[in-house]
Amino acid sequence: MVKFVNVLDHVSVTVSDMERSLAFYRDTLGLKEVERHRLEGEGISKMAGKNGVVMDVVRLVARETESIEIDLQQYLSPAGKVSNGKLGDVGHSHICFGVPDMAEAYRELSDQGVEFVSEPVSFDLGWAVVHVVFFTDPDGYVLELMQIPFEKKE
């Protein structure tokens, strides 16, 4: 049996306003911008299955995992619609970001107006306690924070 997937290259988030999203992902969360480009023409239209696609893309990375990129994509043409997919809905996804101190990250992001689904919660996995919380980006896309490293149990 042939196994096709050998690396995770990037994930993408479609945004409605690139500058607003950059202010959030880059300036508030601290991701690093590594590339910008515009995609248009026959190739991207064929790939997206839509006519006349014009898309701006900004690639971001987390400082300790620079080999995995997050693409912020804004479709300039054709205009997309806002999705209302929520946690638990089929076809919905989320991205999880690691933080070294959950309490500090939650406090600082809350002070900056980031909207959280709840306060942080902890799960006892037997071998470790994991601290996590969900929050949303400016377009309502659900993201997760997880304290890394985990709180290991003896």
Side-chain angles (χ1 to χ4, degrees):
M1 176 181 194
V2 176
K3 304 233 187 302
F4 294 100
V5 176
N6 62 343
V7 297
L8 176 60
D9 181 74
H10 72 277
V11 295
S12 67
V13 177
T14 302
V15 302
S16 64
D17 180 319
M18 185 63 77
E19 292 311 312
R20 180 180 70 167
S21 294
L22 277 172
F24 180 79
Y25 284 90
R26 183 190 59 208
D27 304 337
T28 301
L29 296 183
L31 298 176
K32 182 172 84 171
E33 182 178 330
V34 295
E35 181 185 340
R36 283 180 186 240
H37 56 269
R38 177 167 284 180
L39 298 172
E40 58 187 314
E42 185 179 334
I44 189 60
S45 293
K46 182 176 183 178
M47 181 179 161
K50 298 178 179 197
N51 292 323
V53 171
V54 179
M55 177 195 312
D56 282 341
V57 179
V58 176
R59 299 195 118 183
L60 305 167
V61 296
R63 290 181 300 274
E64 294 183 24
T65 52
E66 291 193 9
S67 64
I68 301 172
E69 297 171 322
I70 297 172
D71 286 3
L72 299 182
Q73 301 178 339
Q74 182 179 356
Y75 280 77
L76 304 175
S77 175
K81 62 181 173 111
V82 176
S83 170
N84 70 349
K86 302 294 181 207
L87 287 169
D89 290 348
V90 174
H92 182 271
S93 63
H94 72 271
I95 300 169
C96 181
F97 297 109
V99 295
D101 184 323
M102 177 62 73
E104 179 182 11
Y106 178 74
R107 184 176 55 255
E108 287 187 20
L109 291 172
S110 292
D111 289 348
Q112 293 181 54
V114 171
E115 293 186 31
F116 286 87
V117 172
S118 71
E119 65 280 346
V121 297
S122 301
F123 296 103
D124 187 335
L125 303 179
W127 59 274
V129 176
V130 179
H131 308 287
V132 296
V133 68
F134 285 116
F135 63 109
T136 57
D137 80 356
D139 287 306
Y141 184 74
V142 177
L143 303 165
E144 180 181 6
L145 294 179
M146 177 181 289
Q147 183 171 304
I148 297 176
F150 302 146
E151 185 181 311
K152 299 227 176 173
K153 296 175 78 173
E154 299 297 322

